[in-house]
């Protein structure tokens, strides 16, 4: 588990983890994750970078900030944090619902992005996903499931995000579940899902403007976001590299941290 601390930003508590030193590398999580989704990957990256992971405002153990919940609002929060930390340029890495804000941030703030890494995210509004996500998006049933069936959603994530032979250790599972079971967190995620759904087409239209070097790093066995998502993202980005980890599952930073770190570090060594 990553060692964490709470910081105040505009009087709101934000949970943050830091490791290593050097150029900053900021990690953006999705749901039902917390910053601890990076707990096995961060030590590998911290040998070369100052790694910063945080719980998004409104998620994990961070307090919610006022405002919307689209990828563009999330990108604005990332900008506020980088300014508060006096970070002029950083490597930004996002996975799952952290991938879209990373892309939005890079599109709108090219001077602040040294390199970008996007992993296992819904990045094309009209591309194939798992039947579950397609159904939830089409009928809005995710709002019902998130609000009233949190245990079912959480357990389904564990079964489909990790290889069948792997489980979360007790401390990591507790960190994620105690956050996700919080009604305020789930209410924010409901808003976030709606915000992402409503703006994903707009976001995809901005990919061509991203000038930073981008690593599109994908799990070959992602059960929710097939590699077609990655291939189309790669083709839309003018300065990107596509890498597929054939046997990886959605939560590959947990299940294959050494392999993921190796791919990231090799990419960054070429683009510094």
């Amino acid at each position: 588990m990553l060692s964490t601390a709470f910081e105040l930003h505009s009087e709101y508590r934000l949970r943050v983890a830091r490791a290593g030193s050097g150029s900053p590398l900021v990690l953006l999580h999705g749901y039902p994750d917390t910053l601890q989704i990076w707990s096995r990957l961060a030590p590998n990256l911290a040998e070369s970078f100052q790694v910063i992971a945080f719980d998004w405002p409104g998620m994990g153990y961070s307090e919610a900030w006022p405002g919307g919940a689209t990828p563009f609002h999330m990108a604005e929060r990332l900008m506020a944090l980088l300014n508060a930390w006096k970070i002029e340029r950083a490597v930004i890495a996002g996975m799952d619902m952290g991938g879209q804000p990373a892309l939005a941030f890079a599109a709108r703030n090219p001077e602040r992005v040294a390199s970008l890494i996007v992993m296992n995210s819904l990045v094309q509004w009209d591309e194939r996903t798992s039947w579950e996500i397609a159904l939830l998006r089409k009928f809005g049933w995710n709002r019902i499931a998130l609000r009233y069936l949190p245990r079912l959603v959480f357990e389904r994530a564990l079964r489909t995000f990790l290889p069948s032979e792997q489980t979360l250790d007790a401390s990591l599972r507790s960190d994620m579940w105690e956050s996700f079971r919080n009604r305020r967190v789930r209410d924010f995620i409901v808003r976030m899902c709606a915000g992402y759904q409503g703006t994903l087409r707009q976001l995809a239209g901005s990919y061509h403007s991203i000038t930073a070097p981008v690593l599109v790093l994908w799990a070959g066995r992602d059960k929710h976001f097939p590699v077609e998502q990655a291939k189309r993202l790669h083709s839309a980005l003018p300065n990107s590299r596509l890498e597929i980890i054939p046997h990886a599952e959605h939560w590959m930073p947990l299940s294959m941290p050494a392999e993921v770190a190796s791919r990231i570090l090799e990419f960054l060594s070429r683009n510094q």
Side-chain angles (χ1 to χ4, degrees):
M1 296 282 284
L2 296 173
S3 177
T4 65
F6 284 94
E7 301 176 358
L8 281 180
H9 292 271
S10 301
E11 300 184 357
Y12 298 100
R13 281 160 53 91
L14 184 89
R15 189 173 72 151
V16 183
R18 300 172 185 271
S21 61
S23 300
L25 192 165
V26 181
L27 301 171
L28 308 177
H29 70 89
Y31 91 86
D33 323 351
T34 67
L35 64 80
Q36 296 293 355
I37 193 69
W38 308 109
S39 58
R40 297 174 187 168
L41 177 65
N44 293 278
L45 301 177
E47 295 178 7
S48 304
F49 290 89
Q50 175 197 174
V51 177
I52 303 172
F54 63 92
D55 287 340
W56 282 111
M59 298 173 67
Y61 297 86
S62 294
E63 293 178 329
W65 294 7
T70 71
F72 301 103
H73 291 104
M74 306 289 270
E76 290 171 1
R77 291 174 184 130
L78 174 59
M79 172 66 89
L81 291 172
L82 293 182
N83 289 341
W85 294 328
K86 296 181 170 51
I87 295 174
E88 291 300 319
R89 293 180 81 238
V91 176
I92 308 295
M95 184 181 73
D96 191 80
M97 295 186 85
Q100 298 95 329
L103 289 159
F105 185 86
R108 294 190 169 185
N109 307 282
E111 74 285 355
R112 305 297 293 269
V113 181
S115 294
L116 183 66
I117 300 145
V118 181
M119 296 176 278
N120 308 337
S121 304
L122 178 61
V123 292
Q124 297 293 343
W125 63 276
D126 58 346
E127 187 56 76
R128 184 170 63 92
T129 63
S130 67
W131 66 267
E132 296 158 284
I133 289 179
L135 196 65
L136 293 174
R137 291 174 69 201
K138 183 175 181 179
F139 296 107
W141 290 349
N142 53 347
R143 294 191 295 271
I144 296 172
L146 285 164
R147 284 195 169 115
Y148 303 111
L149 302 169
R151 176 70 75 175
L152 179 65
V153 173
F154 187 78
E155 294 297 335
R156 182 62 179 167
L158 298 190
R159 287 195 299 273
T160 59
F161 286 5
L162 287 169
S164 58
E165 69 277 6
Q166 290 195 17
T167 58
L168 296 182
D169 61 58
S171 57
L172 182 53
R173 181 189 180 98
S174 175
D175 187 90
M176 292 186 181
W177 169 243
E178 291 303 320
S179 163
F180 190 66
R181 72 185 296 191
N182 185 322
R183 179 62 182 263
R184 289 190 297 274
V185 170
R186 299 199 314 280
D187 284 346
F188 179 82
I189 293 172
V190 167
R191 292 178 54 222
M192 186 174 67
C193 289
Y196 279 43
Q197 177 73 7
T199 56
L200 188 53
R201 187 196 298 243
Q202 177 189 353
L203 177 60
S206 71
Y207 294 160
H208 70 278
S209 67
I210 296 175
T211 56
V214 183
L215 174 61
V216 180
L217 183 61
W218 227 258
R221 293 182 177 176
D222 194 304
K223 294 181 177 65
H224 296 286
F225 307 119
V227 296
E228 286 79 7
Q229 291 269 347
K231 291 176 181 177
R232 282 188 57 191
L233 178 62
H234 169 55
S235 67
L237 295 166
N239 188 18
S240 66
R241 176 183 178 88
L242 174 63
E243 294 195 21
I244 309 296
I245 303 180
H247 302 296
E249 304 273 356
H250 183 72
W251 270 351
M252 60 188 187
L254 281 179
S255 58
M256 302 180 68
E259 177 69 17
V260 173
S262 175
R263 302 286 185 113
I264 291 174
L265 293 173
E266 192 274 336
F267 168 76
L268 294 177
S269 71
R270 295 183 178 187
N271 292 285
Q272 285 195 13

